[in-house]
């Protein structure tokens, strides 16, 4: 706990400076990639062909099943409670 209490303004300022420097390095690298892509169109096509392979983790499918299951459970609870069914206008 003493470590957490000893964090001062200098540490916070240092974190912001490191974050800003990392952001500037990222922007510089992206700018150089754009310039490189304009000079070497074949290299840009190769990069664009390899870029999708970077995302190894698949995107999970939407949870439609969970939504349908929740609607069915809610409908069952309404029937079990004895409330009259809601009239829906179609």
């Amino acid at each position: 706990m003493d470590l957490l209490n000893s964090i001062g303004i200098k540490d916070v300022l240092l974190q912001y400076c490191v974050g800003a420097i990392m952001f500037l390095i990222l922007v510089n690298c992206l700018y150089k990639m754009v310039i490189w892509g304009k000079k070497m169109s074949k290299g840009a096509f190769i990069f664009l062909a390899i870029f999708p392979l970077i995302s190894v983790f698949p995107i999970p499918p939407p949870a439609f099943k969970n939504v349908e299951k929740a609607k069915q459970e809610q409908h069952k609870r309404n029937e079990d409670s004895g409330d009259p069914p809601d009239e829906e206008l179609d």
Side-chain angles (χ1 to χ4, degrees), residues 3 10 23 28 34 60 66:
L3 179 64
K10 292 179 183 178
F23 177 75
N28 188 22
V34 168
N66 293 339

Side-chain angles (χ1 to χ4, degrees), residues 39-56:
K39 288 181 183 177
M40 295 183 57
S41 61
K42 289 182 182 180
F45 284 125
I46 292 171
F47 176 73
L48 288 175
I50 295 173
F51 190 77
L53 298 176
I54 294 173
S55 63
V56 177

Side-chain angles (χ1 to χ4, degrees), residues 1-66:
M1 288 303 262
D2 293 332
L3 179 64
L4 293 176
N5 292 334
S6 67
I7 295 176
I9 190 74
K10 292 179 183 178
D11 297 327
V12 174
L13 184 61
L14 178 65
Q15 290 176 354
Y16 282 121
C17 289
V18 169
I21 290 170
M22 290 177 64
F23 177 75
L24 291 174
I25 291 171
L26 177 69
V27 168
N28 188 22
C29 289
L30 292 175
Y31 177 74
K32 286 182 180 183
M33 285 176 60
V34 168
I35 298 298
W36 174 75
K38 287 182 179 181
K39 288 181 183 177
M40 295 183 57
S41 61
K42 289 182 182 180
F45 284 125
I46 292 171
F47 176 73
L48 288 175
I50 295 173
F51 190 77
L53 298 176
I54 294 173
S55 63
V56 177
F57 303 105
I59 298 172
F64 291 122
K65 293 179 182 177
N66 293 339

